[in-house]
Amino acid sequence: MLFGELFRSAGVRRDEVVISNKLWWEFWPEQSAAAELDGSLARMGFDHVDVIYANPPPDGLAIADMVAAVGALVDSGKARAWAVVNWQAGPFAEAVAAAADLGVTAPCAAQLPYSLVRRSWAEGRDMTEALHAAGAGVVASFCLEGGVLSGKYLLGAAPGRAAATLDDPQAAPAVAAAAELADLAASLGTTAAALALAFPLTNPDVTSVLFGATSPEQLRANCAAAGLLDRLSSGDIARLRRTGAA
């Protein structure tokens, strides 16, 4: 409800913005995909979303049945396209095949965690083959590893959602890469955050990069990543791709 109010008060034209939503399956099977989306549309005050992202189906919901249900949302006009969130390659390939068998529009994108230290989801052979079969792109998420790759924690304690996890062994690759990335950023006259966000864009299968921002300044700085690759040499990009690589 609040998002819809803010959107309309901003005076932005609806047809100039891509609005997406997610199917969480939180109340399935009591609540169908259509009912879940209808509830979201009613709260936002919209008659459709441009992309509906499907989380992995819950236990008991077959992938083919899920694809049929989401395809029906597209056929109804309440969603213009559909995509998936955090699906492993095998189930995603199954969904792509099911869409072809059912005559349903293929998923247009896969939102996947993709960073300098988390590459296998987006770069694995099976996922790449499934993406190409669907003609889908990767929407890269968690590119800053919760802010660790921005370098904000290099000088000691700093507020942020990753602050309490820095000693976790699972965070070690990102913590180690952060210092290396900061050095590279300094040599290139940019920021570690911009480089970390630019990294996914070195993969031609990536169509968009997600990030959060807590201030207009951070938003502008993060957006600079989109044009950063244009001024980097092939050697610079190779150094970036080596950073954090296992």
Side-chain angles (χ1 to χ4, degrees), residues 116-152:
L116 286 162
V117 297
R118 196 185 302 262
R119 308 187 187 200
S120 60
W121 281 58
E123 295 184 356
R125 183 186 65 182
D126 291 345
M127 179 59 76
T128 299
E129 290 177 354
L131 289 166
H132 292 178
V138 172
V139 176
S141 64
F142 210 60
C143 306
L144 292 173
E145 291 291 318
V148 177
L149 292 178
S150 71
K152 65 183 292 183

Side-chain angles (χ1 to χ4, degrees), residues 12 26 74 80 83 86 90 104 110 115 123 125 144 155 160 205:
V12 180
E26 185 177 8
V74 177
R80 301 295 168 83
N86 295 342
V104 171
S115 75
E123 295 184 356
R125 183 186 65 182
L144 292 173
L155 299 179
D205 289 331

Side-chain angles (χ1 to χ4, degrees), residues 1-140:
M1 181 180 298
L2 180 59
F3 172 76
E5 293 175 357
L6 290 172
F7 182 88
R8 283 180 285 278
S9 67
V12 180
R13 287 182 48 178
R14 175 66 182 86
D15 61 357
E16 294 181 342
V17 177
V18 174
I19 293 178
S20 61
N21 206 339
K22 289 182 180 179
L23 291 170
W24 297 94
W25 312 112
E26 185 177 8
F27 301 112
W28 185 89
E30 289 79 13
Q31 185 183 56
S32 66
E36 185 175 347
L37 179 56
D38 283 345
S40 292
L41 291 174
R43 288 189 293 274
M44 293 187 294
F46 296 140
D47 61 3
H48 75 281
V49 294
D50 297 287
V51 183
I52 186 72
Y53 282 89
N55 277 294
D59 292 341
L61 178 57
I63 287 178
D65 292 339
M66 189 228 74
V67 170
V70 177
L73 298 180
V74 177
D75 290 341
S76 72
K78 293 180 180 179
R80 301 295 168 83
W82 72 283
V84 301
V85 180
N86 295 342
W87 284 48
Q88 296 288 347
F92 179 56
E94 185 178 343
V96 173
D101 291 341
L102 295 168
V104 171
T105 301
C108 68
Q111 181 183 322
L112 302 172
Y114 190 25
S115 75
L116 286 162
V117 297
R118 196 185 302 262
R119 308 187 187 200
S120 60
W121 281 58
E123 295 184 356
R125 183 186 65 182
D126 291 345
M127 179 59 76
T128 299
E129 290 177 354
L131 289 166
H132 292 178
V138 172
V139 176

